[in-house]
Amino acid sequence: MWFYHIDHASNTATYKALDSDFSMNNSLHPFFGCIGVAPAQGEARSSTVPAEFGGNMDSPEASVGNTVYFPVNVKGGLFYIGDGHAAQGDGGNCRIGLEVH
């Protein structure tokens, strides 16, 4: 686990190694990794695997200024959102993102 100092004024997060003088800045691009609605027919599904209802998509494109569409499978849709990221590359394959809570 690593901790990054977030500077809201410069919109960056700084990583500082504990065992050397190495540090680096990362530009912030906040988004939610999990977005979706309830699956059809009362089905209980994990949000870990994305499907037609959404889920853990880890897509930085699902951020401010963009629109994501989901089917309404149950009355009210039951929208959910979570897994906040300050930044991450495309997808979660590398398992590295700046998670924020």
Side-chain angles (χ1 to χ4, degrees):
M1 181 181 305
W2 297 276
F3 293 94
Y4 292 74
H5 170 74
I6 294 180
D7 183 344
H8 295 283
S10 67
N11 202 39
T12 60
T14 302
Y15 168 75
K16 170 75 174 89
L18 298 176
D19 59 353
S20 72
D21 290 333
F22 178 79
S23 68
M24 64 181 282
N25 290 328
N26 296 285
S27 297
L28 299 182
H29 180 84
F31 70 96
F32 286 103
C34 288
I35 307 172
V37 295
Q41 303 168 348
E43 187 178 9
R45 298 279 298 271
S46 169
S47 66
T48 302
V49 179
E52 66 282 351
F53 57 85
N56 187 16
M57 298 178 287
D58 280 346
S59 175
E61 293 177 359
S63 64
V64 174
N66 293 325
T67 303
V68 180
Y69 294 93
F70 297 105
V72 177
N73 300 308
V74 300
K75 185 176 180 175
L78 302 178
F79 178 75
Y80 71 93
I81 193 166
D83 188 25
H85 293 72
Q88 179 176 301
D90 289 331
N93 294 337
C94 64
R95 296 300 210 199
I96 298 175
L98 295 179
E99 305 273 343
V100 291
H101 300 278

